[in-house]
């Protein structure tokens, strides 16, 4: 189930794609937060365990969403070598809601984090993208 309300994932959710020559296991976790309550501490344990066991991190953010830069820093502290695929979503709103420079500025901020080797930044429009694009990356 998908909701417009942010921060609704409370535990790790697994999804699996099986193809003839590969298998991908997606682990959707709660967002990275400062734990203040027992439930939040348990949620963060799911996140930390997923970061330890992942072969690659898929981070979805939006153009200009600067708070996600702190999430990248957290991921790097936990596992400095794991590649990160960073999806910058909502590029279809360039020209309507944002000017063209905001995508460039967002990419520059991410590059400034000094992501691990083999990481990629992929500007996308989730509404308009081909579903196989991520699998091919």
């Amino acid at each position: 189930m998908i909701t417009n309300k942010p921060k609704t994932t409370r535990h790790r959710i697994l999804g699996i794609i099986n193809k003839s020559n590969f298998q991908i296991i997606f682990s959707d976790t709660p967002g990275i937060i400062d734990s203040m309550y027992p439930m939040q501490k348990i949620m963060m344990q799911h996140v930390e365990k997923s970061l330890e066991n992942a072969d690659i991190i898929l981070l979805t953010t939006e153009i200009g969403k600067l708070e996600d830069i702190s999430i990248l820093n957290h991921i790097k502290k936990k596992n400095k070598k794991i590649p990160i695929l960073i999806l910058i979503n909502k590029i279809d709103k360039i020209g309507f809601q944002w000017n063209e420079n905001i995508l460039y500025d967002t990419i520059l901020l991410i590059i400034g984090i000094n992501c691990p080797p083999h990481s990629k930044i992929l500007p996308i429009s989730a509404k308009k993208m081909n579903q196989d694009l991520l699998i091919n990356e």
Side-chain angles (χ1 to χ4, degrees):
M1 185 164 123
I2 298 172
T3 178
N4 290 332
K5 186 177 176 186
K7 307 219 186 297
T8 55
T9 304
R10 299 285 182 237
H11 55 84
R12 187 169 69 162
I13 300 168
L14 296 177
I16 301 173
I17 294 177
N18 287 309
K19 296 287 184 178
S20 61
N21 58 343
F22 66 88
Q23 180 182 59
I24 300 174
I25 301 174
F26 291 94
S27 177
D28 185 10
T29 65
I32 295 173
I33 57 172
D34 292 326
S35 309
M36 297 174 62
Y37 307 104
M39 182 180 80
Q40 291 175 334
K41 289 180 183 177
I42 292 169
M43 289 166 46
M44 284 306 297
Q45 288 172 356
H46 290 297
V47 172
E48 301 301 337
K49 189 73 168 169
S50 292
L51 288 174
E52 291 171 11
N53 295 327
D55 294 322
I56 186 169
I57 301 287
L58 173 65
L59 175 66
T60 304
T61 187
E62 296 175 16
I63 293 176
K65 195 168 181 185
L66 303 180
E67 59 268 23
D68 286 346
I69 299 300
S70 65
I71 294 171
L72 277 171
N73 283 323
H74 182 86
I75 291 168
K76 275 185 52 181
K77 286 180 194 172
K78 293 298 174 183
N79 191 336
K80 295 178 193 246
K81 295 180 182 177
I82 189 164
I84 305 171
L85 176 57
I86 304 160
L87 303 181
I88 303 175
N89 193 19
K90 299 190 179 181
I91 64 166
D92 55 305
K93 293 187 177 186
I94 292 175
F96 298 104
Q97 193 169 346
W98 299 302
N99 67 32
E100 292 82 10
N101 291 335
I102 196 158
L103 176 59
Y104 179 72
D105 293 343
T106 303
I107 291 172
L108 283 178
L109 278 171
I110 293 169
I111 290 171
I113 296 296
N114 194 18
C115 292
H118 308 296
S119 295
K120 281 189 172 185
I121 300 170
L122 185 62
I124 65 163
S125 169
K127 284 185 176 182
K128 298 180 179 182
M129 72 183 276
N130 178 335
Q131 299 301 313
D132 292 332
L133 179 66
L134 292 181
I135 293 170
N136 295 330
E137 284 297 315

